[in-house]
Structures are given as structure tokens and as C-alpha cells.
């Protein structure tokens, strides 16, 4: 035996292996691909250049030179690490300025930066309510919203996707004092949108809190990319929080929550995933200040995305492909079985196109799909190339 024990106890080893083997036999095994070079619509994987339709870099900012420069300048000024959590000495001027700029952008009193959207969602529900309360979630909500609810040990009610009638009934029948409705603004795997207007009304009538997770809405929908509420002509009410990520359309990293000062102070005091973690590097905050300006100013990026979406949907309709009802850059192409979605993804890859298959448990059983996403960095001929390849790949493969 070597200086340190390298082998697990045999029964533990066998147990882990059994679970891995099961995953593989179900066609659900996930593996990571190693990307070389910067994120863009062309990615290099294993020395192969692929045209990608699977990033969340909707506005094409992840490789933007101005952001690279801002990051370098921020690092020159502030160094790399924040050094501590926000409540110790990690809260820098750069974070403060970004929070003020984001509050103005969102039209709210306050915003709060988090290191990731996942962590923001872990903080929200548990800061607002506890085990004797109720949480209402759309069945297609992102995993982080489900995990955030579990953290509270509150009663979890999951309503059918976008079924606000069912939700209204459940809210009316719920005797609990405190209620929280949580929804994706733009659903991450389907690309369709929540009816935020009705949800806002329901929350107000039921005196419930409302959390809109706009990870895929921010930067993409609404005037200047202000997100799902803005797109519906709504403001952020006193009972409402919006969570949005900064690693998707903003092209950088991080997340924020927007709401009233009271709600945001509540997160600062009680949000464990806010309190007990190191602050984002301040250079990321300075980079995000530049990203925010670009997101607001460069409407042409959103316009170009809309052109891509229209071009793709029109082409897909001509081919008879089964798309979901989405008008966002997330366009799911439904296959049903995990194996057929994986096979299609593999065929696309052989043609130089990268489109990931999304399988259970990320989507419901029987809901395996190709999740196609567009970026402002795509050109119209990229969309045409995708359609042409899908035509040959899907002619026989796709169910429905
Ligand atoms: C990506 C995503 C998150 C998590 O955000 P990160 O900043 O990547 O941790 C939360 N909610 C939704 C809907 C997402 O798609």
C-alpha cells in the first residue's frame, strides 16, 4: 500500500460504481468537454472547431474585447481576490457602484450581488419564510429554485407549467400566513415565458411574495434588456424580487437580486449563501459595470437575436420540426427519448455543429430534447447551416 490510501473500502467503491453504471445504462451519463480558447459561436473542442448552438452567451459578450480590457484594468487597480466575504472586508467600492447601477437599470430601490445565481436562489426563500409556510413553484422551474425551496423546509406546491388557474386555486386554498411564488421568467429549458402579469396579480391578491428568476430574460427581453417584468410593462413591486444572472447575456459571471430596500436588507441579514462566502472579485464588478452599459446601449444585439429566432422558426416550420412555443433565443427541439436526442446531437457533431442534448432529470421523463440557443455573434448563414443539417439528421429520427 502506498503512503496514503488510494482505494475506497471495497463495498463503498462497489456502491458508487453501481450508481455510475446505472446512470450510463439509462443513457443519462454526463461528461464534460474541454474547450480550448475563448467562448464564442466557434468553439474548439479536442482540436476540432465546432459551430456552437448551446451557450447562454446570448448577446455575444463573453469574449468582448472591451470586457477583457475592463477586467485587466480592474485587476491592475484592485488585484484579483476580494479577500473576504461582503460582510467582512470583501465589499469593495466596485461592488457598491455596480449595485447602484443595477438598481437604476431595474428601477428598484436596491440590488444585491451574489457570486452565482444558484447561490442567490439558495438565499431568497430561506430568508423570507420558514417551515410553517408555503412555496409555489412552476413544474418547469430551474433546479436552483427547487433547491432553494427545500432549504426552507416549507411546504412545496408545484403547479403545472404556466397553469396560473391551478396556482390561483392552490393559493386560495392555502391557509399558511406566508407564501412565496417562484418562477423562471424565461424558462431555461423551454424558452417560453411566464405570465408575469397574472403572477403579479395573484401574488398581490394572496399577499404572497413573488420571485422571478430572470437568468435567461435579463439582457435579452424588455426595453434595454431590463428583463421579463419590463417586457410586460411591469415594475418590481414591494412584494417582488427579481433574480438575474450575470454569466449569461451579460457575458461575465455573478448574479444579483433586485427589490425593495427592506427585501434586500433581509437577504443581507439572513441569506446564508450571501453571508458565508467570499465576495466576487472586484475586477469582475468593474467588468460588469461596462457590460451593463453595453447591454443597455447595443440594442442591435437584441434585434439580431430576434432575426435569428424568426429565421430559425420559419425554417424549422418548413421542415416540420417539433419546436416548443418559444420566442426567445432558447429553442427546444423535442425528441422524447434520451437516446434519440443524444443520437441527433452526435450526428450534428459529426457535421461540425455543437448542440447539447438535454435529458432527464434536467427535463421531465420523455422530454429529452436538443436545446438550441442563439447568440448575437451568430450570422444568418449559421442559422441556415443549422437548418440544413437538422433536415438531414431529423428526417427520420424525430418523434412527433
Ligand atoms: C443558470 C441559471 C441559474 C443559476 O445561475 P448561475 O449564475 O449560473 O449560478 C439560476 N436560474 C436559472 C433559471 C438559470 O438558468
Amino acid at each position: 500500500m502506498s503512503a496514503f490510501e488510494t482505494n475506497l473500502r471495497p463495498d463503498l467503491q462497489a456502491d458508487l460504481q453501481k450508481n455510475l453504471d446505472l446512470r450510463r445504462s439509462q443513457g443519462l451519463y454526463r461528461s464534460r468537454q474541454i474547450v480550448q480558447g475563448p467562448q464564442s459561436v466557434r468553439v474548439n473542442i479536442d482540436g476540432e472547431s465546432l459551430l456552437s448552438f448551446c451557450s447562454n452567451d446570448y448577446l455575444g459578450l463573453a469574449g468582448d474585447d472591451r470586457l477583457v480590457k475592463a477586467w485587466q484594468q480592474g485587476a491592475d487597480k484592485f488585484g484579483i481576490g476580494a479577500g473576504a466575504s461582503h460582510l467582512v472586508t470583501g465589499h469593495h467600492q466596485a461592488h457598491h457602484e455596480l449595485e447602484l447601477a443595477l438598481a437604476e437599470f431595474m428601477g428598484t430601490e436596491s440590488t444585491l450581488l451574489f457570486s452565482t445565481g444558484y447561490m442567490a436562489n439558495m438565499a431568497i426563500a430561506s430568508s423570507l419564510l420558514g417551515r410553517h409556510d408555503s412555496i409555489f413553484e412552476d413544474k418547469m422551474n430551474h433546479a436552483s429554485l427547487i433547491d432553494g425551496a427545500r432549504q426552507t423546509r416549507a411546504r412545496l406546491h408545484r403547479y403545472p407549467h404556466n397553469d396560473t388557474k391551478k396556482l390561483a386555486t392552490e393559493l386560495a386554498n392555502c391557509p399558511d400566513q406566508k407564501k412565496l411564488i417562484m418562477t423562471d421568467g424565461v424558462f431555461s429549458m423551454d424558452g417560453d415565458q411566464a405570465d408575469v402579469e397574472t403572477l403579479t396579480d395573484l401574488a398581490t391578491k394572496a399577499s404572497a411574495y413573488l420571485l422571478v428568476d430572470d437568468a435567461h430574460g435579463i439582457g435579452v427581453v424588455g426595453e434595454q434588456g431590463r428583463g421579463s417584468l419590463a417586457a410586460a410593462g411591469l415594475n418590481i413591486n414591494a412584494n417582488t424580487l427579481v433574480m438575474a444572472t450575470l454569466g449569461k447575456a451579460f457575458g461575465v459571471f455573478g448574479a444579483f437580486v433586485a427589490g425593495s430596500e427592506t427585501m434586500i436588507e433581509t437577504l443581507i441579514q439572513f441569506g446564508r449563501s450571501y453571508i458565508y462566502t467570499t465576495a466576487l472579485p472586484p475586477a469582475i464588478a468593474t467588468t460588469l459595470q461596462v457590460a451593463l452599459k453595453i447591454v443597455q446601449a447595443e440594442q442591435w444585439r437584441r434585434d439580431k437575436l430576434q432575426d435569428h429566432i424568426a429565421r430559425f422558426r420559419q425554417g424549422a416550420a418548413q421542415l416540420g420540426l417539433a419546436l416548443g412555443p418559444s420566442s426567445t433565443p432558447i429553442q427546444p427541439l423535442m425528441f422524447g427519448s434520451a437516446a434519440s436526442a443524444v443520437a441527433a446531437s452526435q450526428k450534428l457533431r459529426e457535421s461540425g455543429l455543437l448542440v447539447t442534448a438535454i435529458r432527464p432529470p434536467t427535463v421531465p421523463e420523455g422530454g429529452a430534447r436538443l436545446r438550441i440557443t442563439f447568440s448575437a455573434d451568430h450570422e444568418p448563414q449559421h442559422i441556415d447551416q443549422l437548418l440544413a443539417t437538422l433536415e438531414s439528421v431529423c428526417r427520420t429520427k424525430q418523434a412527433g
Side-chain angles (χ1 to χ4, degrees):
M1 198 163 291
S2 58
F4 59 89
E5 191 99 22
T6 54
N7 293 325
L8 270 178
R9 222 171 64 196
D11 57 321
L12 294 178
Q13 172 74 25
D15 182 57
L16 294 182
Q17 195 57 51
K18 194 183 75 194
N19 290 335
L20 292 174
D21 292 345
L22 180 63
R23 241 299 116 147
R24 207 183 283 280
S25 71
Q26 291 167 327
L28 301 180
Y29 206 84
R30 300 163 190 252
S31 43
R32 302 169 301 167
Q33 327 195 60
I34 299 174
V35 175
Q36 291 127 359
Q39 177 63 241
S40 108
V41 295
R42 283 238 156 249
V43 291
N44 251 298
I45 294 175
D46 296 333
E48 200 183 352
S49 170
L50 298 163
L51 181 60
S52 166
F53 292 93
C54 42
S55 91
N56 299 316
D57 180 24
Y58 303 118
L59 299 181
L61 295 177
D64 192 280
D65 289 343
R66 293 163 294 180
L67 298 187
V68 173
K69 188 146 282 158
W71 195 317
Q72 288 165 342
Q73 286 170 350
D76 284 343
K77 218 161 146 186
F78 301 109
I80 299 297
S85 69
H86 284 284
L87 293 172
V88 182
T89 58
H91 192 59
H92 291 241
Q93 180 75 21
H95 299 120
H96 180 64
E97 286 169 4
L98 175 60
E99 287 183 345
L100 294 178
L102 287 169
E104 196 186 334
F105 176 59
M106 298 299 287
T108 49
E109 283 177 355
S110 285
T111 63
L112 187 66
L113 282 173
F114 280 81
S115 295
T116 70
Y118 187 90
M119 291 164 75
N121 282 341
M122 293 305 280
I124 293 167
S126 57
S127 300
L128 296 177
L129 34 71
R131 62 189 306 180
H132 301 296
D133 304 317
S134 269
I135 296 177
F136 300 82
E137 297 216 34
D138 190 290
K139 280 219 166 118
M140 288 307 294
N141 274 356
H142 190 259
S144 59
L145 289 172
I146 304 298
D147 294 356
R150 286 198 181 127
Q151 193 84 344
T152 66
R153 293 188 287 156
R155 268 174 287 276
L156 178 58
H157 311 252
R158 298 186 72 184
Y159 56 91
H161 184 45
N162 269 339
D163 190 344
T164 49
K165 286 211 175 75
K166 184 85 194 297
L167 172 62
T169 311
E170 289 193 19
L171 282 168
N173 292 337
C174 175
D176 292 335
Q177 281 292 310
K178 290 194 250 175
K179 299 168 204 162
L180 165 65
I181 304 165
M182 300 208 269
T183 184
D184 283 20
V186 171
F187 286 88
S188 59
M189 294 299 135
D190 289 86
D192 59 346
Q193 290 163 273
D195 177 357
V196 286
E197 194 172 352
T198 303
L199 291 172
T200 299
D201 284 346
L202 289 178
T204 305
K205 280 194 197 112
S207 297
Y209 296 114
L210 172 65
L211 167 62
V212 177
D213 176 336
D214 227 1
H216 301 276
I218 204 75
V220 176
V221 303
E223 198 208 339
Q224 297 192 338
R226 290 189 161 91
S228 296
L229 290 183
L234 300 167
N235 294 318
I236 301 178
N237 287 340
N239 63 336
T240 301
L241 288 173
V242 173
M243 194 294 289
T245 53
L246 298 166
K248 291 172 180 161
F250 274 65
V252 189
F253 188 71
F256 71 92
V257 180
S260 72
E261 196 178 329
T262 312
M263 297 271 264
I264 295 301
E265 280 301 316
T266 301
L267 297 182
I268 296 173
Q269 302 308 317
F270 301 106
R272 295 173 66 86
S273 58
Y274 182 74
I275 299 167
Y276 298 108
T277 196
T278 301
L280 279 176
I284 289 193
T286 57
T287 308
L288 282 164
Q289 290 175 30
V290 177
L292 174 58
K293 291 203 177 98
I294 296 173
V295 166
Q296 289 187 261
E298 299 187 351
Q299 178 60 33
W300 65 264
R301 293 177 184 273
R302 281 178 287 278
D303 294 343
K304 197 169 165 194
L305 262 180
Q306 283 309 319
D307 290 346
H308 292 339
I309 296 162
R311 190 181 192 91
F312 176 72
R313 289 191 66 87
Q314 195 179 11
Q318 280 166 5
L319 298 176
L321 299 177
L323 295 181
S326 162
S327 52
T328 70
I330 303 168
Q331 294 289 327
L333 179 56
M334 308 308 292
F335 281 83
S337 86
S340 59
V342 169
S345 171
Q346 190 53 43
K347 284 212 169 143
L348 287 164
R349 170 111 188 220
E350 285 158 16
S351 308
L353 303 185
L354 192 62
V355 185
T356 30
I358 308 282
R359 297 163 282 178
T362 306
V363 291
E365 212 50 58
R369 68 198 60 192
L370 293 180
R371 177 178 181 267
I372 297 163
T373 59
F374 298 119
S375 165
D377 267 353
H378 283 122
E379 296 303 332
Q381 61 268 29
H382 294 146
I383 313 302
D384 295 344
Q385 190 183 340
L386 173 64
L387 285 165
T389 314
L390 283 173
E391 182 178 16
S392 61
V393 166
C394 294
R395 199 174 287 130
T396 52
K397 274 284 171 196
Q398 198 190 6

